[in-house]
Amino acid sequence: MCKSVGFLVAVSCFGQGRPASAELIQKLDITVFADGRGLPVGTGTAAAGRAIYKSKCAVCHNDNGEGREKQYPALVGGIGTLATERPVKRVGSFWPYATTVFDYIRRSMPFDHPRTLGVDEVYAVTAFVLHLNGIVAEGFELNERNLAAVKMPNRDGFVPDQRPDVKAKR
Amino acid sequence: MKNRRRFLVFGAGVLAACKKAPDSESGAHMRVYGERAPGETSARWILELSASPGTGSSRTPLADLYGTITPTSLHYERHHSGVPAIEASKHELVIHGLVEKPLVFTMEELRKFPSFSRIYFMECGGNTMGEQRGNTQPDVQRSHGLLSGAEWTGVPLREVLKAVGVKPEAKWMIAEGADAGRMARSIPIEKVMDDALLAYGQNGEALRPEQGYPLRLFLPGWEGNTCVKWLHRLQFADAPAYSAKETAYYTELGKDGKAQIFTFVMEARSVITRPSGLQKIAPGFHEITGLAWTGKGRITKVEVSVDGGKTWAEAELQQPVLPLALVRFRYPWTWDGKEAVIQSRCTDETGFLQATHEELVAVRGSNSGYHYNAIKPWRVRADGMVTHV
């Protein structure tokens, strides 16, 4: 512990930090792991997510996730294109885990007011985005127990760093 | 009154402009915070990626710069949710997860650790991405400008971690920023314990807001996105988070439709910055100059070709050649006024030799984008204009 003894000005205190309370960690920790650890308790369906999407997301991502201009990314499309000349990397075609979709929407969206949705709203709107991609049914009730088991089309599409892969000729 | 004042100011301006600078008169007052000469106008080139403010990138004007240190005002930026306004006195770093003692550090406490300073390059994983598909840019700022060099100061992360006690099961560290989007990346524990820096200083002063004020992670030689800015949380875990920015982005899609993930290190590369795109040169003597760098230690050699890659000659490297830092190279050249293609290639201490565009695309295809590091040729036209090839 941090004590100052006479004029030995608490050298041992320098850079020691203070204990992080469980409440503080709980407040800040929003990481969701691919196996579902970190998911908050909650639930939502795509049917419920449709209305939230319409009022909170469609202004940028368009009515059915088509995106707007090229600045606001589309949230649909691209499935089956990854090995072609013009791959389309989208949530449904490229993202390996549904947990990542949940985690990203919870931490970063809506872009202009992130972290303003309630937990159930995040589940619902995540379900809706997955539904737009044909991954879950409209009535499917997404929750902290089944989200990690939702299999994304590109789950097995990632390999480790292969470099150095390019060999230059002298 | 207003008009009169305007006239006076205008009049004074005209007078000043007409007067020959008298070298017998004393000069201007001192400034409490310096500025460059009014005629020096080199600037970053900004690409806004969304209508929302602050997203996108700004690129370093590499062709205008000398030496290897990028002035902080010209250091490249890449933001995903704008630049947050953070007060250093209120900023804290929380370290938790698989640790013995979860701790919170104020900036004041972090600055009390013995400080460490080192010159490093930083490059965005997406630098020159367009080149792979042949979407070349007209100048080196727009093609290669997501690259800068600076002296970074902070505390080695492993020193701070002695206080929290990282558990042996911890294999990854998830670093999160306090920007609006809470951008997060997962970092392997080996890098954390090797040379990861908690940086609060850049080029001798506190970080600028756009560089992560008051605290950023700095991972020497690794793609810029992993150097999480506005760092406020470090979580130790047995697995990576597979965050959006390490799955959907900063992964390289190969020809077979599989994407490489956790591709952190920036492999060796070099580029000629003068003469380069959009410059115009006259026949006669020119010093070809540029930069080389590698995330795997030291640059050992830079070669220059002025005949389209038929022959190569060794360039002079500005000493000292620092590891994981920009290296300035020079090569004297007398241009005969005929069309020429000039380019550079580098070798690093692992024996890695920078490849041509064709060699790279033959292995990776055209879709990987990130970590494209091929040779960059410039064409010098007969009229002296320098263009991309």
Side-chain angles (χ1 to χ4, degrees), chain B residues 253-271:
Chain B
L253 194 55
K255 289 187 284 192
D256 58 357
K258 300 275 185 218
Q260 294 177 45
I261 190 169
F262 303 128
T263 49
F264 298 113
V265 76
M266 302 308 296
E267 284 188 312
R269 76 193 298 191
S270 68
V271 66

Side-chain angles (χ1 to χ4, degrees), chain A residues 15 18 31 100 107 115 162, chain B residues 104 113 180 182 235 242 260:
Chain A
R18 62 167 205 277
T31 307
T100 306
R107 74 173 57 234
R115 295 179 309 286
Q162 307 290 306
Chain B
V104 191
F113 281 90
R182 296 283 190 270
Q235 176 178 19
Y242 293 101
Q260 294 177 45

Side-chain angles (χ1 to χ4, degrees), chain B residues 83-343:
Chain B
V83 179
I86 297 176
E87 275 177 61
S89 60
K90 295 196 180 125
H91 189 76
E92 293 184 333
L93 176 68
V94 176
I95 307 181
H96 71 106
L98 292 175
V99 297
E100 302 295 343
K101 268 196 301 177
L103 291 176
V104 191
F105 292 89
T106 61
M107 286 307 302
E108 200 185 338
E109 281 167 329
L110 290 174
R111 283 191 293 254
K112 279 179 180 169
F113 281 90
S115 78
F116 174 96
S117 299
R118 190 63 60 91
I119 294 171
Y120 292 125
F121 79 84
M122 182 162 64
E123 185 183 18
C124 175
N127 198 19
T128 68
M129 182 179 264
E131 302 267 312
Q132 193 171 1
R133 280 198 165 278
N135 300 332
T136 42
Q137 296 283 352
D139 61 25
V140 72
Q141 174 170 28
R142 279 173 267 186
S143 65
H144 288 65
L146 295 170
L147 167 76
S148 302
E151 186 201 54
W152 298 91
T153 294
V155 47
L157 179 50
R158 59 170 185 268
E159 296 302 322
V160 176
L161 293 177
K162 284 177 186 161
V164 297
V166 176
K167 292 184 177 169
E169 312 91 89
K171 298 286 177 260
W172 293 82
M173 177 187 82
I174 295 140
E176 185 185 86
D179 54 332
R182 296 283 190 270
M183 208 209 71
R185 288 292 305 257
S186 309
I187 311 298
I189 195 80
E190 293 77 20
K191 184 70 171 175
V192 171
M193 295 303 183
D194 180 13
D195 57 0
L197 190 66
L198 291 178
Y200 47 75
Q202 180 185 2
N203 292 336
E205 61 182 354
L207 295 177
R208 298 278 172 90
E210 65 269 27
Q211 293 300 330
Y213 182 81
L215 188 70
R216 84 179 300 171
L217 185 63
F218 195 94
L219 302 178
W222 281 25
E223 63 185 14
N225 184 256
T226 62
C227 302
V228 175
K229 293 181 284 194
W230 313 292
L231 188 70
H232 81 152
R233 189 167 73 88
L234 296 174
Q235 176 178 19
F236 285 84
D238 56 3
Y242 293 101
S243 73
K245 295 295 188 261
E246 62 202 18
T247 53
Y249 299 90
Y250 303 99
T251 52
E252 286 102 291
L253 194 55
K255 289 187 284 192
D256 58 357
K258 300 275 185 218
Q260 294 177 45
I261 190 169
F262 303 128
T263 49
F264 298 113
V265 76
M266 302 308 296
E267 284 188 312
R269 76 193 298 191
S270 68
V271 66
I272 293 173
T273 57
R274 280 194 303 271
S276 62
L278 295 182
Q279 295 181 342
K280 189 164 187 188
I281 64 168
F285 177 78
H286 292 275
E287 184 180 69
I288 292 178
T289 184
L291 297 167
W293 62 101
T294 173
K296 290 189 164 178
R298 272 189 181 78
I299 289 290
T300 52
K301 197 198 296 189
V302 176
E303 294 159 288
V304 168
S305 170
V306 294
D307 58 7
K310 286 202 254 335
T311 60
W312 295 85
E314 211 166 322
E316 188 189 329
L317 305 185
Q318 173 66 59
Q319 300 295 327
V321 171
L322 302 174
L324 305 170
L326 296 181
V327 176
R328 170 69 59 178
F329 66 84
R330 290 188 297 261
Y331 179 77
W333 179 46
T334 303
W335 181 47
D336 59 10
K338 296 200 191 83
E339 179 165 307
V341 171
I342 61 172
Q343 56 200 311

Side-chain angles (χ1 to χ4, degrees), chain A:
Chain A
M1 272 276 98
C2 197
K3 255 192 239 151
S4 32
V5 185
F7 61 90
L8 287 175
V9 189
V11 176
S12 65
C13 300
F14 287 178
Q16 290 303 296
R18 62 167 205 277
S21 69
E23 298 77 65
L24 177 69
I25 293 168
Q26 211 207 340
K27 197 180 97 193
L28 291 176
D29 180 4
I30 51 173
T31 307
V32 174
F33 290 90
D35 61 5
R37 279 179 296 167
L39 280 169
V41 176
T43 182
T45 61
R50 184 183 294 278
I52 301 161
Y53 180 90
K54 202 170 172 206
S55 68
K56 303 263 170 84
C57 321
V59 59
C60 293
H61 294 290
N62 220 332
D63 295 346
N64 295 298
E66 313 92 314
R68 281 187 204 278
E69 293 136 38
K70 65 172 198 267
Q71 327 286 28
Y72 295 116
L75 306 180
V76 294
I79 295 177
T81 65
L82 295 183
T84 67
E85 285 277 287
R86 293 274 157 188
V88 178
K89 298 189 281 181
R90 300 270 164 78
V91 169
S93 67
F94 194 53
W95 294 36
Y97 300 106
T99 48
T100 306
V101 186
F102 180 96
D103 175 280
Y104 184 67
I105 292 174
R106 179 164 69 147
R107 74 173 57 234
S108 305
M109 292 294 140
F111 193 74
D112 47 352
H113 300 285
R115 295 179 309 286
T116 53
L117 299 182
V119 171
D120 288 348
E121 289 181 303
V122 179
Y123 276 106
V125 86
T126 302
F128 182 68
V129 171
L130 296 175
H131 175 65
L132 285 176
N133 283 282
I135 294 166
V136 300
E138 183 150 22
F140 183 75
E141 204 175 275
L142 205 58
N143 59 43
E144 78 282 0
R145 280 160 286 126
N146 64 17
L147 189 139
V150 171
K151 187 153 189 231
M152 300 294 279
N154 195 40
R155 161 80 66 95
D156 304 318
F158 290 84
V159 293
D161 194 348
Q162 307 290 306
R163 300 171 303 157
D165 51 349
V166 180
K167 301 274 178 295
K169 278 186 285 298
R170 280 257 186 213

